Amino acid sequence: MINIDAIISQVFNGIQFGVLMALLATGLSLIFGMLGVINFAHGSLYMLGAYFVWTCVRLLNFPGNFWVALFLTVPFLALVGFIIEKILLQRMYGQPPSYQILITFGLMLVIQQGVALVYGTIPLPLGIPSSFAGEVNLGLLRYPIYRLFTMVLGLAIISAVWFFVERSTLGAIIRASAEDPETAKTLGINTRTVYTWTFALGSALAGIGGGLHAPLIGGLQHSIGVEIVLISFIVVVIGGTGSIRGALLGGILLGIVRGIAGVFWAPASDFVMFVTMGIILLFRPQGLLGRGAAQ
Amino acid sequence: MKSEKGSARKGLLADLLFIVIMVAILIPIYFIFPSKMMAAEILIMALPTLSFILLLGYTGLLSFSTGSLFAVGAYTAGILLSRHQAHIFVAIFAGVAMSGIVALVMGYFCIKRGGLIFSLLTLAFNQLIWFIIWQWKTFTGGPDGIWGIHRSSLSLGGWVINLKPTFNFYIFVILFFLLVFIFVRRLIGSPFGKVLLGMRESELRATAIGYNPETYKWIAFIISGMICGVGGALFALHQEYVGEHLANWFTSGEVAIMALLGGAFTIQGALIGSAVFIFLADFLNKFKVLSQSGAWLLVLGVVFILVVMFFRGGIYGGFEKVLEWVQKKERKGHAEGGEINER
């Protein structure tokens, strides 16, 4: 018998996971839309964020250390992204896109194995912060507070990024540099700086996603980013490239489908992601909210 | 008509010359190798690399599905050999056919979206196939893989050849390697290859002339899938075991690294890249510090990034540059001697 409670709970978990994936996909989509780079190292940045939080929690020994750590992931990962863009990617603009993909693939290997070298390959557990440990009664079900919190914070961050990119003046500069770099340059916009900061922003989003998710992962391992980056790629494809709302919609849809499939047969949860992607691509090759034949 | 026949004969001669040269190089090399298993492995891994280069170099498509197509070939051949005692040639042929069929279906979904989205889609399909192999325990063995593949007896009419000794198997692999290599050379020179090249230069113009880019890319994708299948089937025979890790996207990544190391736009780069990669991996793994922590991958990643950033032509590209430089010097010498030699 399949009980309704299990399904509802899985739908919630699905939404929670979906929001997290949307957070990653937003960063990925931003980087892809602005720089035209598919960032394979995105999952590694997510993993770095999780490890950074773990390290900070160990180092800072006072109540609320988790929140400080989570807050610090943003500048830290932005710095990492900044350096990566300056040293590696900036030399690759104007080269065939395949080289950019491959360089991020190499970067992924380096970050992942570097972390394995420093932290070892044994899973490192990170508990849920004690102030958010309990459950909350939502009427339909009792749901862990921390999961609910990641959902809310994730949605808030994605909304903020959307507002920043689509509505603010700085966002207009970013969009202008992406759509027509030549004209943007003649208007006095330094597109190189814009690219650098966009990549830093995307990296920070991946990092905070990793930090938020870290307590929910049984134990941190250097390979956690690999599966995550694949799922966020699928979210980007489903939602449509370059669309933040698409990333959110795609993430939540994928999360719910994945959660429900998991109730019936656990191994199917990964399988249905691919099936969902296949079906959506058959009927809407540009993704749910993609802009026509954007290439 | 006459000239056509003549050029066909010339092509055949060139191929024969190529075979003779390659055999003359490849057979003595075997005896230099420190580990005899490596020799065959290099030739086998050159095949998926060749398929990757064919696709990237001639259609501009960067595929991340080489790993899964390689694995499909390996599993098909492996299952036929271990459970159904199939003839080795039948198993290889089935592996190639199966990879071709999978590439046909995969290509249908992926080719429509060109460029970077193509790479993402092939990556997703690659993981889908890996996932099926991982989960379908009764058929693929799941995490255990397929055991009990034997290459000990290859019957040819009345003859039975034992492929168990590494040298015999190496010769067997050389045959397939040369077959595929010549096929690719022919393909590139054929009208089909010319259309692909034209499309790479200007898809719009090719479309205007009346070629359908999607169809041509699709066919190229299927052919490259079948080449992966040859490699996979041979790999199953080589290891006498097939594991699920072959289908993982890390295999695709490894193939991409090999292609870039060798030189991603020349078919000769495939062999060089695969050789350098396997030697490098073997060398790095000799150090216990590096192999235990997996840090050899770190070194590999750094080497790879440096190659992509600074030596984009790969090793073969560097080799060509040196040749060009020498030729230029020679030409200069001629010019100084008073000879005017245009072209």
Side-chain angles (χ1 to χ4, degrees):
Chain A
M1 269 309 281
I2 296 141
N3 59 358
I4 295 296
D5 286 355
I7 292 183
I8 293 174
S9 141
Q10 280 307 309
V11 168
F12 263 82
N13 277 345
I15 295 174
Q16 182 263 326
F17 184 73
V19 168
L20 200 77
M21 286 304 101
L23 200 58
L24 279 144
T26 301
L28 208 57
S29 199
L30 260 179
I31 292 171
F32 180 76
M34 305 298 146
L35 285 67
V37 173
I38 291 182
N39 186 14
F40 268 111
H42 208 64
S44 307
L45 297 170
Y46 159 93
M47 183 264 296
L48 266 186
Y51 270 90
F52 181 77
V53 166
W54 185 88
T55 315
C56 278
V57 167
R58 286 287 172 286
L59 288 178
L60 308 168
N61 241 329
F62 52 82
N65 52 5
F66 177 80
W67 310 109
V68 177
L70 195 60
F71 181 75
L72 286 177
T73 43
V74 176
F76 175 68
L77 261 294
L79 180 70
V80 172
F82 186 89
I83 294 169
I84 290 172
E85 206 275 349
K86 277 277 180 204
I87 293 181
L88 294 178
L89 292 177
Q90 205 153 75
R91 293 160 199 265
M92 306 305 292
Y93 299 139
Q95 301 292 337
S98 42
Y99 286 125
Q100 292 157 0
I101 298 186
L102 292 169
I103 211 161
T104 62
F105 183 80
L107 188 66
M108 183 192 76
L109 273 184
V110 170
I111 296 177
Q112 193 176 313
Q113 296 307 323
V115 167
L117 205 61
V118 176
Y119 289 91
T121 48
I122 303 155
L124 307 173
L126 178 71
I128 290 171
S130 51
S131 49
F132 276 67
E135 286 185 334
V136 63
N137 196 345
L138 290 178
L140 285 167
L141 79 164
R142 297 181 61 76
Y143 200 68
I145 297 177
Y146 186 76
R147 281 183 184 266
L148 196 67
F149 168 75
T150 59
M151 220 189 276
V152 174
L153 186 62
L155 280 173
I157 294 172
I158 294 168
S159 314
V161 172
W162 178 83
F163 191 82
F164 171 69
V165 173
E166 300 288 337
R167 293 283 180 271
S168 75
T169 319
L170 267 177
I173 289 175
I174 293 179
R175 277 178 292 133
S177 319
E179 263 165 43
D180 193 346
E182 290 310 312
T183 314
K185 267 184 217 160
T186 58
L187 292 171
I189 296 169
N190 188 345
T191 48
R192 290 219 153 191
T193 317
V194 174
Y195 290 160
T196 310
W197 284 105
T198 308
F199 193 83
L201 174 65
S203 307
L205 286 175
I208 199 159
L212 261 181
H213 203 198
L216 297 173
I217 307 168
L220 302 187
Q221 268 182 306
H222 65 291
S223 55
I224 53 171
V226 176
E227 194 198 354
I228 291 293
V229 76
L230 285 170
I231 299 176
S232 34
F233 279 155
I234 295 177
V235 170
V236 171
V237 171
I238 287 180
T241 47
S243 164
I244 294 175
R245 281 183 297 175
L248 185 60
L249 185 67
I252 291 178
L253 179 73
L254 204 65
I256 293 176
V257 170
R258 194 170 175 266
I260 292 178
V263 178
F264 295 96
W265 188 49
S269 60
D270 283 320
F271 187 72
V272 291
M273 290 194 310
F274 297 112
V275 175
T276 313
M277 187 187 76
I279 292 170
I280 287 175
L281 282 179
L282 266 185
F283 295 106
R284 268 191 82 81
Q286 73 272 36
L288 288 176
L289 297 179
R291 271 166 283 182
Q295 253 317 305
Chain B
M1 282 292 268
K2 238 181 194 176
S3 68
E4 240 172 54
K5 245 184 203 170
S7 73
R9 200 171 293 158
K10 226 183 225 171
L12 202 67
L13 250 153
D15 286 344
L16 277 175
L17 192 70
F18 176 74
I19 292 174
V20 171
I21 292 173
M22 286 307 275
V23 167
I25 296 171
L26 290 174
I27 289 180
I29 276 182
Y30 175 81
F31 297 100
I32 310 168
F33 269 96
S35 147
K36 303 294 178 200
M37 286 288 276
M38 248 163 74
E41 194 177 334
I42 285 172
L43 291 187
I44 292 170
M45 287 317 289
L47 294 177
T49 312
L50 185 62
S51 97
F52 178 90
I53 288 174
L54 184 67
L55 210 57
L56 179 63
Y58 288 84
T59 65
L61 295 170
L62 177 78
S63 165
F64 261 93
S65 60
T66 32
S68 60
L69 292 169
F70 187 72
V72 166
Y75 268 94
T76 309
I79 287 169
L80 284 176
L81 285 167
S82 66
R83 293 193 199 138
H84 306 284
Q85 277 75 44
H87 190 275
I88 287 178
F89 281 138
V90 173
I92 292 175
F93 183 77
V96 176
M98 201 62 203
S99 291
I101 292 167
V102 172
L104 182 125
V105 176
M106 211 191 271
Y108 174 78
F109 286 96
C110 300
I111 294 291
K112 280 183 189 166
R113 304 288 314 271
L116 294 170
I117 301 300
F118 170 83
S119 303
L120 281 188
L121 290 179
T122 50
L123 175 63
F125 271 99
N126 189 74
Q127 283 317 90
L128 175 63
I129 289 171
W130 171 79
F131 186 75
I132 292 170
I133 290 173
W134 178 261
Q135 288 294 342
W136 199 355
K137 294 192 178 72
T138 49
F139 187 61
T140 61
D144 297 331
I146 293 194
W147 296 88
I149 301 164
H150 298 292
R151 58 162 196 254
S152 47
S153 55
L154 168 69
S155 53
L156 291 171
W159 292 64
V160 177
I161 300 167
N162 186 5
L163 288 179
K164 192 74 193 160
T166 42
F167 183 72
N168 290 6
F169 185 64
Y170 181 64
I171 300 294
F172 183 74
V173 170
I174 285 182
L175 290 178
F176 276 92
F177 173 79
L178 289 178
L179 207 68
V180 172
F181 221 86
I182 285 170
F183 169 74
V184 171
R185 264 170 53 117
R186 282 281 174 119
L187 188 75
I188 289 169
S190 74
F192 178 80
K194 297 266 157 62
V195 173
L196 280 186
L197 268 183
M199 237 162 243
R200 196 188 68 189
E201 297 309 321
S202 169
E203 199 163 313
L204 199 70
R205 227 175 281 174
T207 317
I209 299 168
Y211 294 110
N212 184 357
E214 272 181 21
T215 315
Y216 273 80
K217 284 180 183 172
W218 195 10
I219 294 171
F221 188 71
I222 295 166
I223 291 172
S224 102
M226 288 166 88
I227 296 172
C228 280
V230 180
L234 288 175
F235 197 73
L237 284 168
H238 175 253
Q239 303 274 311
E240 300 195 300
Y241 162 72
V242 182
E244 125 288 327
H245 65 277
L246 289 181
N248 205 320
W249 66 301
F250 263 77
T251 309
S252 309
E254 273 177 15
V255 167
I257 294 177
M258 288 180 200
L260 263 278
L261 280 180
F265 296 101
T266 43
I267 55 173
Q268 290 87 338
L271 185 57
I272 299 170
S274 136
V276 171
F277 181 93
I278 289 169
F279 267 116
L280 197 66
D282 185 64
F283 174 74
L284 291 173
N285 270 312
K286 274 194 181 131
F287 300 96
K288 260 210 175 127
V289 201
L290 291 178
S291 70
Q292 271 173 354
S293 57
W296 70 278
L297 276 170
L298 179 78
V299 180
L300 195 73
V302 172
V303 170
F304 179 61
I305 288 177
L306 290 177
V307 166
V308 175
M309 284 181 75
F310 301 113
F311 309 98
R312 245 159 253 151
I315 293 162
Y316 188 79
F319 179 68
E320 264 190 337
K321 260 183 201 160
V322 171
L323 263 183
E324 241 171 53
W325 182 74
V326 170
Q327 274 173 351
K328 234 183 218 170
K329 247 196 157 180
E330 263 178 17
R331 228 176 273 159
K332 242 185 196 170
H334 278 299
E336 273 164 18
E339 267 181 63
I340 299 159
N341 217 341
E342 287 282 312
R343 277 172 216 176

